[in-house]
């Protein structure tokens, strides 16, 4: 009995014929059928996984990557999609990205462990690969840091060495929450004392001019102010979902991860000059960042923690109606126009605007004042060495 041609718009029939073709070792035909099935039902992750398998068997690495990427856009927690993507990166020699994906696998594995021997082998491989990649990266970075460390006063190396060891999993630190680089043994200040920032007064004296430039920019239209929160496709629902893609919390960047926005700076030259006069932390690809932050009426930013405690975040309030507030750890403050403050954003913090008017603040980062000059220089050397080691994932974008 002959098999009838699959209906053009029936993904289940197309998929069934694809499975049959795969069983018959007609891999090219199977790939075509799975591609048609996925096109007919693009939200069905299983169809993209079948297509990825067929493309893998055909030796089509980029086709497999595209199929797995689509599956992960549907659900970033798809365990087998993460496994297959990790295997693909590993097969193609993309060790940094493979290590990141295997790390994702390890993070999900405890909740899925069924005692199966194959599953245990997979988890063991993931752990071994991540450990080996970290060791290889550490060897490259340690070699690059040998000369800078030799120049440094040995008494200044304790915290720095703990930072590097932590980065490579060579030690554990118990402290506040950072989602990027953690520098051990710094005081966990919620709000830093003003005495650490003697330039605050000069900055605050420019508040009126900065606020006027912001008001002019905002009055021209808000197209230049993009959503502050933009989550990747496939991100599971979380506390940021209500703000993702929304201009309820928006920002206009003057600097972002060390890159100057020349057009934005030209539109507010006095603000740009005020920022350039500050003792900024200049780390290519990471710092400084500076932006106007706008919180619309009746908007709340949920409690969260930041990327790295090597920085201090500074707020210069520009427009603050009644009903606005800001909490860091156990201390809550009201913004006051023209009164700057600095805080450690790796301590849980949140903000709110319960008024009927917008709130605007100039926000930027500087070095954590508890870092020594030597530690700052060594951190710059560390980031440079890490970025040139070949082990920074292309798909991993962060600020620290």
């Amino acid at each position: 009995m002959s098999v009838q041609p699959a209906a053009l718009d029936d993904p289940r029939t197309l998929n069934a014929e694809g499975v049959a073709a795969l069983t018959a070792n007609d891999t090219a035909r199977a790939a075509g059928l799975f591609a048609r099935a996925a096109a007919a039902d693009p939200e069905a992750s299983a169809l993209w996984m079948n297509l990825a398998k067929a493309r893998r068997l055909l030796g089509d690495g980029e086709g497999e990557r595209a199929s797995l990427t689509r599956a992960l856009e549907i659900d970033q927690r798809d365990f087998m999609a993460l496994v297959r993507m990790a295997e693909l990166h590993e097969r193609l020699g993309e060790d940094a990205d493979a290590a990141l994906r295997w790390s994702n696998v390890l993070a999900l594995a405890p909740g899925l462990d069924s005692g199966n021997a194959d599953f245990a082998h997979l988890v063991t491989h993931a752990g071994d690969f991540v450990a080996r990649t970290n060791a290889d990266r550490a060897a490259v970075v340690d070699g690059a840091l040998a000369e800078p460390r030799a120049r440094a006063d040995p008494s200044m190396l304790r915290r720095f060495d703990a930072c590097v060891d932590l980065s490579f999993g060579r030690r554990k630190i118990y402290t506040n929450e950072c989602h990027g680089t953690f520098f051990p043994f710094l005081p966990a200040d919620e709000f830093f004392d003003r005495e650490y920032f003697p330039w605050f007064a000069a900055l605050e004296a420019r508040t009126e001019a900065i606020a006027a430039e912001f008001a002019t920019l905002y009055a021209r239209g808000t197209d230049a102010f993009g959503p502050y929160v933009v989550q990747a496709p496939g991100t599971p629902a979380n506390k940021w979902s209500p703000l993702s893609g929304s201009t309820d919390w928006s920002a206009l960047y003057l600097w972002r991860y060390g890159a100057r926005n020349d057009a934005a700076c030209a539109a507010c030259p006095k603000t740009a000059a005020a920022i350039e006069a500050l003792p900024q932390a200049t780390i290519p690809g990471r710092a400084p960042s500076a932006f106007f932050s706008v919180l619309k009426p009746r908007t709340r930013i949920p409690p969260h923690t930041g990327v790295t405690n090597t920085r201090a975040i500074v707020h210069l309030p520009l427009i603050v109606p009644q009903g606005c507030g800001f909490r860091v750890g156990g201390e809550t403050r009201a913004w006051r126009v023209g009164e700057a403050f600095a805080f450690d954003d790796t301590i849980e913090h949140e903000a709110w605007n319960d008024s009927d008017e917008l709130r605007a603040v100039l926000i930027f980062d500087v070095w954590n004042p508890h870092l020594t000059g030597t530690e700052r220089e060594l951190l710059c050397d560390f980031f440079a060495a890490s970025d040139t080691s070949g082990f920074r994932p292309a798909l991993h974008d962060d600020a620290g």
Side-chain angles (χ1 to χ4, degrees):
M1 182 176 178
S2 62
V3 178
Q4 297 299 312
L8 292 177
D9 58 350
D10 185 351
R12 289 175 297 181
T13 303
L14 289 165
N15 184 59
E17 289 203 10
V19 171
L22 208 58
T23 302
N25 294 321
D26 192 351
T27 309
R29 182 169 181 269
L33 289 164
F34 290 142
R36 289 167 57 193
D41 188 1
E43 296 305 312
S45 178
L47 299 180
W48 291 104
M49 290 297 291
N50 285 345
L51 179 56
K53 179 179 179 179
R55 287 173 167 171
R56 179 171 71 254
L57 292 173
L58 289 170
D60 179 7
E62 290 309 310
E64 181 186 1
R65 189 197 303 271
S67 301
L68 293 173
T69 297
R70 183 67 192 104
L72 288 169
E73 286 177 346
I74 295 169
D75 184 0
Q76 291 186 8
R77 298 170 299 181
D78 187 323
F79 185 76
M80 287 312 301
L82 288 168
V83 168
R84 298 304 180 215
M85 187 68 92
E87 291 173 340
L88 173 64
H89 286 309
E90 187 176 344
R91 194 163 63 247
L92 296 178
E94 299 167 353
D95 287 356
D97 290 318
L100 182 61
R101 292 300 190 185
W102 281 127
S103 295
N104 297 151
V105 169
L106 291 171
L108 289 176
L112 302 172
D113 190 358
S114 61
N116 180 277
D118 290 338
F119 184 91
H121 176 76
L122 186 95
V123 171
T124 299
H125 175 80
D128 289 346
F129 187 90
V130 171
R132 185 169 63 253
T133 303
N134 277 344
D136 290 345
R137 176 172 170 249
V140 174
V141 173
D142 286 343
L145 289 176
E147 197 276 332
R149 289 186 75 262
R151 293 198 310 263
D153 182 338
S155 66
M156 296 292 182
L157 290 174
R158 178 174 173 266
R159 292 192 300 190
F160 172 77
D161 286 346
C163 171
V164 174
D165 288 343
L166 179 68
S167 297
F168 296 130
R170 295 190 294 216
R171 68 166 295 172
K172 188 175 181 179
I173 306 293
Y174 297 87
T175 186
N176 43 354
E177 297 180 40
C178 296
H179 299 296
T181 300
F182 177 77
F183 203 102
F185 316 134
L186 293 180
D189 290 348
E190 295 172 348
F191 290 91
F192 295 105
D193 290 339
R194 281 181 63 94
E195 67 185 39
Y196 293 118
F197 308 95
W199 41 268
F200 265 9
L203 173 67
E204 291 166 339
R206 303 190 186 197
T207 299
E208 185 175 348
I210 294 170
E213 289 186 334
F214 162 78
T216 299
L217 279 172
Y218 203 76
R220 288 178 185 170
T222 58
D223 289 347
F225 288 77
Y228 186 85
V229 179
V230 179
Q231 296 183 315
T235 301
N238 58 73
K239 65 183 177 183
W240 294 110
S241 297
L243 286 173
S244 183
S246 169
T247 56
D248 286 350
W249 183 17
S250 64
L252 172 59
Y253 281 88
L254 307 178
W255 276 263
R256 190 170 193 179
Y257 302 150
R260 189 179 194 269
N261 183 342
D262 292 334
C265 288
C268 50
K270 293 180 180 178
T271 304
I275 294 170
E276 287 174 327
L278 302 176
Q280 295 174 308
T282 302
I283 306 172
R286 285 180 167 81
S289 289
F291 57 96
F292 290 117
S293 171
V294 178
L295 207 57
K296 286 186 176 179
R298 308 296 170 184
T299 301
R300 301 185 73 90
I301 299 172
H304 61 287
T305 55
V307 173
T308 175
N309 67 334
T310 62
R311 67 185 181 184
I313 306 298
V314 179
H315 281 197
L316 179 65
L318 306 175
I319 300 173
V320 185
Q322 292 293 321
C324 293
F326 189 70
R327 178 184 68 84
V328 182
E331 183 175 351
T332 298
R333 291 188 180 184
W335 287 286
R336 296 183 177 85
V337 172
E339 185 176 306
F341 62 72
F343 66 99
D344 180 346
D345 77 327
T346 64
I347 299 172
E348 183 183 87
H349 57 287
E350 61 181 321
W352 56 90
N353 178 4
D354 291 340
S355 78
D356 294 320
E357 305 171 54
L358 70 82
R359 180 235 65 180
V361 176
L362 176 66
I363 300 177
F364 55 90
D365 52 38
V366 295
W367 286 112
N368 184 314
H370 296 296
L371 290 169
T372 68
T374 299
E375 288 169 336
R376 296 175 185 182
E377 292 176 4
L378 285 166
L379 276 166
C380 290
D381 291 328
F382 166 66
F383 288 129
S386 183
D387 289 348
T388 58
S389 70
F391 292 94
R392 189 182 188 194
L395 52 79
H396 185 59
D397 181 20
D398 62 35

